[in-house]
């Protein structure tokens, strides 16, 4: 699996997530001083097929999710627990995971990441709704 990763700060949580990602595949690190550019950079890595999925982290996760979603073809989901992450992939075909690097403990962030990466195929029953996202 090819994964684009970026964080606008570094701490124990970001290091734990990055270690998990490196165990799972090839990681492209996107670096910038600007969280909007970070989110967009992760999104571009996914839609330009340099990565299968993206994981982006900022203080809340919200800003980078919004920025990533500005890139056509990106479906970034802000998740704070595994159920949200898994079902964002399953029901929304999310291709970018956004998380808070300030509010998630390292072990929780890793669980969220695993749930996101472990769910690889969208629910066929959601195909029409997912297709509709591209039409909006």
């Amino acid at each position: 699996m090819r994964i684009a990763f970026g964080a606008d700060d570094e701490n124990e949580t970001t290091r734990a997530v990055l270690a998990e990602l490196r165990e799972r595949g090839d990681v492209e690190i996107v670096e910038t001083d600007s969280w909007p550019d970070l989110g967009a950079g992760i999104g571009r890595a996914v839609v330009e097929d340099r990565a299968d999925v993206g994981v982006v982290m900022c203080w809340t996760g919200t800003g980078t999710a919004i920025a990533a979603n500005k890139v056509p073809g990106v479906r970034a989901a802000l998740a704070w627990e595994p159920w949200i992450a898994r079902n964002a992939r399953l029901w929304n075909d999310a291709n970018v995971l956004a998380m808070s690097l300030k509010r998630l403990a390292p072990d929780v962030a890793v669980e969220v990441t695993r749930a996101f990466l472990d769910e690889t195929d969208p629910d066929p029953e959601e195909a029409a709704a997912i297709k509709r996202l591209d039409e909006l």
Side-chain angles (χ1 to χ4, degrees), residues 4-135:
F5 174 77
D8 72 349
D9 202 351
E10 182 182 346
N11 63 14
E12 188 178 346
T13 300
T14 62
R15 288 187 293 273
V17 168
L18 184 55
E20 176 67 22
L21 296 177
R22 286 187 168 139
E23 287 182 20
R24 298 221 172 207
D26 296 324
V27 179
E28 174 186 337
I29 305 289
V30 175
E31 295 183 88
T32 177
D33 294 333
S34 162
W35 59 261
D37 292 334
L38 180 65
I42 295 294
R44 280 193 298 276
V46 172
V47 300
E48 292 171 1
D49 200 34
R50 297 191 322 265
D52 302 310
V53 295
V55 177
V56 65
M57 302 179 78
C58 68
W59 282 31
T60 67
T62 306
T64 52
I66 292 169
N69 278 320
K70 295 288 186 176
V71 177
V74 170
R75 290 176 302 281
L78 176 61
W80 55 94
E81 58 101 12
W83 187 88
I84 298 292
R86 176 184 182 274
N87 290 308
R89 291 273 284 180
L90 186 64
W91 298 331
N92 311 121
D93 196 22
N95 53 13
V96 173
L97 170 64
M99 293 184 289
S100 169
L101 60 82
K102 290 288 188 182
R103 300 299 295 172
L104 290 179
D107 60 329
V108 174
V110 168
E111 287 179 39
V112 171
T113 301
R114 286 177 180 158
F116 186 79
L117 297 178
D118 286 348
E119 195 61 58
T120 58
D121 296 315
D123 181 345
E125 291 182 15
E126 293 298 322
I130 292 167
K131 183 176 186 269
R132 180 71 180 118
L133 292 174
D134 293 331
E135 298 167 353

